[in-house]
Amino acid sequence: MLHPIEDLEAERSRASLRPESAAAPPVLAHVELAVDGDPARYASRLRGVLDAVLHIAATEDFDADDDLPAGTVPGWFSAVCRGGGSPEPFAAEGRDRYTEWTGGAPWALQNWLSRFDPDLEVRGWAWWDLTAAPTGNGVLRLWVDTWGEPSFAWEDLRWLAFVAGARTVANPVLVKPEAWAGELSVGAGGETALMVDWTPGDATVRWSGPAGDVEKAYEVPPQSVMAWRERGETLVLVVEECDSAPFTPSDNAVVYEADGSERFRLHPPHDLLRTPSDVHGFYFAMPQDGRPLLIMVTRNAGDFQGRIDLETGEITDTNTWR
């Protein structure tokens, strides 16, 4: 794809600031990353390299005989590229993971920079954002605009993702932009995203963000935990254990504010079944279009899905689940 100068300038802006939701294209691609260490430090490395190379792309002459000037490229990135010197430990580990995963050699810096030539149709992506995956556990999502193409050239980006400190880098997935809009940016404009620390089987849910550190302990491990952003708010949903015994409470899901205060304890709709006691409660939650989709289980009428109305705390848009 060609990358006009005005597009490069907008892309560089997104390397530092979260884009407006209204500016999103009809389709985005995301790449899930598992990173070592602090996600904010990872974001700083990744975004710093992108800021530098996109500035080079918008201002330098790629047809000149001399090498492209690389003085603004962060030193750790130059060092990890082939022939660059002694890389930082995190970058060296990422380099080894890249070569193991792809079977290819490390990139040379000038070769990597050349991929950003505005007139060279080899870079099949434009940077969009980096977010915290709603399922938590330190997983990030790298977002790019591929002009709707499911297959595109992105080895240059995979190299950057690995050497910045990613332990794993998944293959891209095309989704609607609403999925991105509901997630929390990491490292954009000095913002610190809310990061959830929980894996299935843990009886303690922790999250941290600008509102502080929060810890919630349970006698039985929760069934689902996810964070999302809606209407300018950051929220956390915890689906507690579902008790299928007759006449037990079915309000086993809670929406929390970012500071840990309870917003709503959720109840399945009273009119979901003719006999409300046949509804066991909430089974799990999954992200869909950037918002939680809650699954409710019943005694013998199958499973149902629904959405959270943040104004009332009620479950709306109910339907049968699959």
Side-chain angles (χ1 to χ4, degrees):
M1 297 293 180
L2 293 175
H3 298 266
I5 298 301
E6 58 269 23
D7 290 353
L8 288 168
E9 292 171 345
E11 189 179 3
R12 186 187 179 203
S13 174
R14 296 194 297 269
S16 302
L17 299 172
R18 180 182 173 93
E20 296 291 334
S21 297
V27 176
L28 286 167
H30 72 66
V31 175
E32 288 207 345
L33 314 169
V35 304
D36 288 327
D38 182 5
R41 292 189 64 186
Y42 179 86
S44 177
R45 296 176 193 137
L46 190 79
R47 291 179 181 274
V49 173
L50 287 166
D51 179 75
V53 70
L54 290 169
H55 177 66
I56 292 170
T59 59
E60 297 297 335
D61 181 6
F62 281 73
D63 293 326
D65 293 333
D66 297 333
D67 285 346
L68 290 164
T72 58
V73 176
W76 70 263
F77 183 76
S78 298
V80 77
C81 289
R82 189 167 69 247
S86 301
E88 297 283 344
F90 71 84
E93 292 173 5
R95 175 198 60 199
D96 295 343
R97 289 168 181 152
Y98 174 85
T99 57
E100 180 181 358
W101 178 264
T102 65
W107 284 68
L109 179 60
Q110 288 296 321
N111 186 21
W112 191 82
L113 293 175
S114 72
R115 303 277 291 189
F116 291 80
D117 183 340
D119 298 322
L120 192 65
E121 299 185 58
V122 295
R123 184 166 68 98
W125 57 274
W127 173 261
W128 191 257
D129 200 5
L130 181 71
T131 64
T135 49
N137 198 28
V139 176
L140 304 181
R141 283 180 175 172
L142 184 158
W143 294 84
V144 291
D145 180 5
T146 68
W147 298 272
E149 294 293 334
S151 299
F152 56 96
W154 69 290
E155 280 306 310
D156 39 21
L157 184 59
R158 195 200 304 265
W159 167 253
L160 174 58
F162 267 116
V163 300
R167 187 170 63 254
T168 61
V169 178
N171 288 323
V173 177
L174 288 181
V175 296
K176 296 179 181 178
E178 289 80 6
W180 160 75
E183 297 185 10
L184 311 170
S185 294
V186 181
E191 296 180 358
T192 302
L194 185 148
M195 301 299 297
V196 176
D197 180 12
W198 178 82
T199 55
D202 290 347
T204 301
V205 179
R206 299 180 179 88
W207 65 85
S208 59
D213 297 334
V214 177
E215 180 176 304
K216 302 287 183 181
Y218 301 85
E219 292 185 4
V220 178
Q223 299 181 166
S224 297
V225 178
M226 66 170 288
W228 82 104
R229 195 170 68 98
E230 187 173 347
R231 298 181 181 178
E233 296 183 282
T234 301
L235 302 164
V236 178
L237 171 67
V238 178
V239 178
E240 302 166 353
E241 181 193 28
C242 181
D243 191 342
S244 59
F247 306 107
T248 54
S250 58
D251 57 346
N252 62 309
V254 183
V255 175
Y256 292 102
E257 308 275 0
D259 63 3
S261 58
E262 183 176 310
R263 166 76 74 90
F264 299 118
R265 180 164 284 277
L266 303 175
H267 302 259
H270 291 296
D271 58 354
L272 191 63
L273 296 179
R274 179 174 298 179
T275 305
S277 61
D278 284 345
V279 181
H280 293 317
F282 300 98
Y283 179 60
F284 71 95
M286 59 183 292
Q288 187 182 81
D289 296 336
R291 300 171 57 208
L293 184 71
L294 280 157
I295 309 304
M296 297 163 282
V297 293
T298 68
R299 188 180 312 281
N300 51 25
D303 299 340
F304 291 81
Q305 66 183 43
R307 299 281 197 178
I308 305 168
D309 184 327
L310 289 182
E311 292 186 359
T312 64
E314 296 178 351
I315 302 301
T316 62
D317 301 328
T318 56
N319 206 336
T320 54
W321 167 245
R322 295 182 177 176

